[in-house]
């Protein structure tokens, strides 16, 4: 292929885009055929779906699974999870089943505040700006009355607007920092629309007010945008049982030894960044799978969560264990900014159904569900790690993928499942088994 | 629904699982029907697909789009991106087109080392352990000869094994820290299998060697697992042009002013954690979309990237701008641990095709592609933010979703597109337009 730029790709029809892309593969006809098997048949749904994004030529599918029997705040849920990783759903289901015996997950919303900023450079007298800031604030709120009307009706809107002086860190750098309550929407578009109005108002205000002179009349709006860091949109979820209850866990270990190793694993995640990364990654295996299934933006959750984990200056575990003589308590505290309206939540046919399967929760309830899935996955991962090791369970789940990769027949697959029932599964071992 | 635990859900057939889940919705028959429209028709593909994960009842689709015309290291790519977020693909395509005029993306692999640990507690004399560590290391390598054979043939395997003393941070805590080269596989299963053998060997070794006495003969293996933190699996990608070249950008701003604001935006991300989070989130909009399209694990990439961004103790931007008098250079340095073999990369029909569309790159080349997509998205986001603001472009892309949410007819959609061509798009404004 030469490097000439192809112009007007975005203006082509879906069919023609696909045709052009297929030409990049060895068997264009076959490629087209495969991509088309993933086209949605119903025309209206297909169109809507393609319009979620741009240059859409097909639909990429991920397994939609169910982790049954989650008890969260006394309510039972079948949690839809979308993930490509084997053993994530099984792990969540396993934890859910165990904890259902001990009251399930207790989850509490700590706060639901979201934040956005007008970032601007201004070479002026800060105290002067501060002295008239109440007026500016009122004008900003008035200017967005239109945008916020609907949100206010639902009990949300702008919570507060303040000015942050960061000139000590960067020359002339200030923020208009605004906080919002966006109820059941993730709120990105709402917040950004407000912030852009604030920016316009700030510029007008500096021009109009006679208190500002010369250079103070102008400022440089660098950008106006919400923050995906949401440390004040926070949920805390925990499970709790007597230490002796772990005798009922499917492990070959004394309960006392188990909790001791479990605690060590969490302590290690607080000491070793290498471990904390993987520890928290496992939490997001659960959280992201539910985010995807409900049409939410997992990149926003990942960013907020990992930054939250690094807030002390050292990147640490998002979960915490408390052991008393008789009691084990395991807690996850994590920022989760999601929505149950807006975005794709109601537009994607399966996202909409996911929410219905969950009993049409509001955003607060959905926060409790995502964090419970995260805690469940972390519990399952640590349990495996400190008992029989991660590979036995994970590789058992993954065996079928290895067999498929090695093009095993259905017969061979059945034989392999039996053969590896009590043996170590590695790609090498499976390959050797098939060669025999 | 009562809270009784439903037993044996995982043993049900897919059909029966779906039936049970559908009962949780208002119209079970309709629900089943919708879920079934997303079933893969070809039986063999469907079975393989369902086996990726557990309790699969359907397939969750995400738009599969193409960002054309990426020039990376002189080679042209049409990059497959899977994302639910509007304007991510358009933004990448836009950046790609602009930078193609100026040599495209230059991307360099800095290193491809992955790390894993045996985390253990041991109450013994560290110097004693150190004095015989070479022997232990040899034994560990010998023990895994079997597992590593294939990888060694391909040029990879175990790079080194060392012991890390962290007893100052946590009582009795040590790590066997092993580094690996896993060539074209992400390597998680390979690494974990090796580490579990190392752990076994460590236990045997302490028992057998007479140098260790009493309590030193035992250690507590807390866990053996790879780390998703991969600061030594690193890629650096940059774009570069003359400042005057920005006259050709589709913005209404002098090039000098543009680069000055662009640099301010990056500086702000290094000063404000709130901003850095969103800044880096936008990078992962690009990276994750390609990870998904190629069957890679985006949670691993997110975790590694965000932790890397916090490595100085302050969470910062992953991109960096260098301005000289005439020159603009924009660079992303990010850890990317992915594979082109193993996992789902060759099992998922569209992941496999994605790799083919990309010219069947090896893992190193794929690292350059993911990071280029990340840099492209970051460039597009900052460009929008510092010029006309994020909402105009984003909301233009999102308008169609808003219209769909408000159940607009095709006619109304066409009229709305015209009407909002030069007007501010907010949900409120669209609602008002439709009510008229």
């Amino acid at each position: 292929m030469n490097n000439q730029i192809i112009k007007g790709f975005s203006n082509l029809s879906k069919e023609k885009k696909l045709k052009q892309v297929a030409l990049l593969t060895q068997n264009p006809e076959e490629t087209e055929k495969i991509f088309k098997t993933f086209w949605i048949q119903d025309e209206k749904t297909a169109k809507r779906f393609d319009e979620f994004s741009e240059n859409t030529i097909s639909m990429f599918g991920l397994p939609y699974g169910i982790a049954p029997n989650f008890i969260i705040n006394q309510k039972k849920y079948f949690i839809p999870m979308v993930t490509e990783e084997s053993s994530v759903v099984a792990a969540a289901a396993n934890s859910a089943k165990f904890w259902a015996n001990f009251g399930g997950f207790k989850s509490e919303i700590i706060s639901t505040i979201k934040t956005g900023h007008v970032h601007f450079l201004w070479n002026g007298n800060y105290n002067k700006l501060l002295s008239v800031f109440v007026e500016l604030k009122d004008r900003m709120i008035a200017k967005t009355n239109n945008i916020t009307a609907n949100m206010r009706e639902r009990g949300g809107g702008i919570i507060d607007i303040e000015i942050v002086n960061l000139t000590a860190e960067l020359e002339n750098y200030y923020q208009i920092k605004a906080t919002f309550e966006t109820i059941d929407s993730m709120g990105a578009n709402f917040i950004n629309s407000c912030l852009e109005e604030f920016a316009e108002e700030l510029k007008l205000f500096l021009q109009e007010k006679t208190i500002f002179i010369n250079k103070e009349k102008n400022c440089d709006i660098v950008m106006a945008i919400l923050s995906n860091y949401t440390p004040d949109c926070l949920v805390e979820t925990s499970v709790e049982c007597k230490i002796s209850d772990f005798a009922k866990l499917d492990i070959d270990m004394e309960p006392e030894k188990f909790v001791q190793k479990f605690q060590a694993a969490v302590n290690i995640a607080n000491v070793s960044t290498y471990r904390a990364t993987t520890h928290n990654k496992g939490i997001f295996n659960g959280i992201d799978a539910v985010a995807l299934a409900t049409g939410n933006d997992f990149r926003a959750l990942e960013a907020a969560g990992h930054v939250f984990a690094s807030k002390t200056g050292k990147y640490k575990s998002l979960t915490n264990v408390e052991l008393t003589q008789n009691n084990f308590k395991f807690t996850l505290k994590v920022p989760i900014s999601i929505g149950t309206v807006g975005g794709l939540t109601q537009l994607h046919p399966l996202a909409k159904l996911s929410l219905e399967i969950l009993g049409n929760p509001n955003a607060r309830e959905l926060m409790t569900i995502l964090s419970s899935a995260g805690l469940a996955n972390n519990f399952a991962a640590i349990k495996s790690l400190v008992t029989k090791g991660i590979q036995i369970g994970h590789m058992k789940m993954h065996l079928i993928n290895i067999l498929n990769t090695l093009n095993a027949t259905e017969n061979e697959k059945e034989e392999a499942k039996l053969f590896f029932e009590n043996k170590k599964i590695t790609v090498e071992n499976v390959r050797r088994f098939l060669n025999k």
Side-chain angles (χ1 to χ4, degrees), chain A:
Chain A
M1 182 164 77
N2 67 33
N3 278 352
Q4 216 182 326
I5 295 309
I6 290 173
K7 280 184 182 154
F9 182 80
S10 67
N11 296 323
L12 297 177
S13 69
K14 178 175 170 184
E15 184 91 39
K16 284 192 177 147
K17 282 192 191 97
L18 173 55
K19 215 173 253 313
Q20 197 155 79
V21 171
L23 286 176
L24 302 173
T25 65
Q26 245 185 342
N27 190 340
E29 253 176 71
E30 177 66 13
T31 298
E32 271 189 64
K33 219 180 82 190
I34 296 175
F35 273 117
K36 280 188 180 171
T37 60
F38 292 96
W39 280 17
I40 295 173
Q41 292 312 308
D42 176 61
E43 218 171 293
K44 204 184 145 197
T45 311
K47 188 154 189 294
R48 173 174 289 203
F49 182 88
D50 291 343
E51 287 168 347
F52 291 162
S53 181
E54 303 86 37
N55 289 350
T56 310
I57 61 166
S58 190
M59 175 174 79
F60 188 89
L62 292 167
Y64 182 107
I66 296 286
N69 295 318
F70 264 85
I71 307 287
I72 304 168
N73 293 342
Q74 321 260 6
K75 199 167 152 188
K76 187 168 79 174
Y77 298 92
F78 274 42
I79 302 188
M81 300 181 86
V82 171
T83 181
E84 93 294 342
E85 188 173 343
S86 61
S87 83
V88 167
V89 176
N94 227 301
S95 285
K97 192 175 160 194
F98 176 76
W99 287 107
N101 300 316
F102 306 104
F105 297 76
K106 295 190 181 55
S107 185
E108 198 186 334
I109 307 299
I110 297 175
S111 50
T112 57
I113 297 169
K114 313 198 176 162
T115 310
H117 306 81
V118 178
H119 303 269
F120 66 103
L121 305 176
W122 183 61
N123 187 1
N125 182 324
Y126 174 56
N127 285 326
K128 226 190 251 182
L129 183 53
L130 213 51
S131 73
V132 287
F133 189 69
V134 176
E135 189 189 336
L136 174 57
K137 187 169 146 179
D138 285 345
R139 281 175 59 163
M140 284 174 167
I141 288 170
K143 182 149 188 183
T144 49
N145 263 339
N146 217 336
I147 302 173
T148 59
N150 209 280
M151 193 64 87
R152 279 183 283 122
E153 243 168 64
R154 288 186 277 151
I158 300 161
I159 298 173
D160 198 10
I161 305 175
E162 53 185 310
I163 182 156
V164 183
N165 179 353
L166 287 160
T167 53
E169 310 235 17
L170 186 66
E171 202 183 354
N172 297 333
Y173 172 41
Y174 296 89
Q175 297 172 340
I176 302 289
K177 179 182 178 185
T179 43
F180 302 85
E181 167 59 59
T182 61
I183 312 289
D184 289 330
S185 70
M186 194 262 203
N189 289 326
F190 168 75
I191 293 172
N192 286 337
S193 294
C194 287
L195 292 168
E196 292 191 357
E197 298 294 323
F198 295 169
E200 270 182 42
E201 196 58 35
L202 171 65
K203 280 196 285 188
L204 284 177
F205 186 78
L206 294 174
Q207 286 287 334
E208 285 171 23
K209 295 293 287 183
T210 51
I211 184 176
F212 299 113
I213 50 160
N214 307 323
K215 57 171 193 182
E216 290 178 329
K217 291 218 161 290
N218 292 302
C219 76
D220 226 341
I221 307 286
V222 183
M223 52 195 162
I225 185 150
L226 99 155
S227 174
N228 290 119
Y229 187 42
T230 56
D232 296 313
C233 187
L234 204 58
V235 55
E236 186 173 292
T237 301
S238 60
V239 286
E240 198 170 357
C241 70
K242 286 193 288 250
I243 289 172
S244 57
D245 289 332
F246 286 120
K248 290 172 204 151
L249 205 58
D250 57 334
I251 51 168
D252 190 21
M253 194 182 276
E254 288 299 314
E256 291 70 24
K257 180 71 186 171
F258 173 71
V259 296
Q260 182 201 324
K261 286 188 81 170
F262 196 102
Q263 188 174 41
V266 177
N267 287 343
I268 286 171
N270 282 325
V271 165
S272 161
T273 299
Y274 276 103
R275 177 54 204 156
T277 308
T278 314
H279 179 100
N280 290 341
K281 188 271 184 188
I283 295 171
F284 282 100
N285 277 344
I287 290 176
D288 289 2
V290 193
L292 269 165
T294 56
N296 277 289
D297 178 341
F298 61 82
R299 278 91 54 214
L301 299 176
E302 289 270 359
H306 290 295
V307 176
F308 189 72
S310 75
K311 67 182 188 302
T312 60
K314 181 171 174 77
Y315 183 84
K316 289 188 175 184
S317 165
L318 288 167
T319 51
N320 181 36
V321 180
E322 287 164 78
L323 283 187
T324 58
Q325 210 186 338
N326 300 313
N327 215 56
F328 169 93
K329 189 177 179 183
F330 187 42
T331 305
L332 167 66
K333 196 194 262 189
V334 64
I336 291 189
S337 168
I338 37 93
T340 54
V341 300
L344 297 201
T345 52
Q346 300 295 326
L347 282 178
H348 192 297
L350 295 197
K352 193 175 153 74
L353 276 178
S354 294
L355 289 169
E356 204 184 333
I357 289 165
L358 292 169
N360 286 319
N362 60 16
R364 294 171 66 94
E365 190 179 344
L366 190 57
M367 287 166 76
T368 69
I369 296 168
L370 266 74
S371 66
S372 296
L375 185 65
N377 270 88
N378 193 221
F379 177 78
I382 300 177
K383 183 191 98 176
S384 293
L385 282 168
V386 304
T387 55
K388 53 197 171 183
I390 203 81
Q391 286 305 78
I392 278 193
H394 184 71
M395 291 308 272
K396 208 166 157 186
M397 296 291 170
H398 195 57
L399 172 61
I400 197 76
N401 284 331
I402 297 175
L403 288 163
N404 283 333
T405 302
L406 299 173
N407 289 315
T409 65
E410 285 305 311
N411 245 348
E412 287 170 332
K413 285 199 229 173
E414 287 313 310
E415 281 178 44
K417 276 187 220 166
L418 281 175
F419 179 82
F420 284 104
E421 190 69 40
N422 296 303
K423 290 193 190 64
K424 205 164 280 177
I425 301 170
T426 68
V427 180
E428 269 312 293
N429 288 347
V430 176
R431 200 192 304 269
R432 242 173 246 131
F433 171 81
L434 289 176
N435 284 343
K436 269 192 314 196

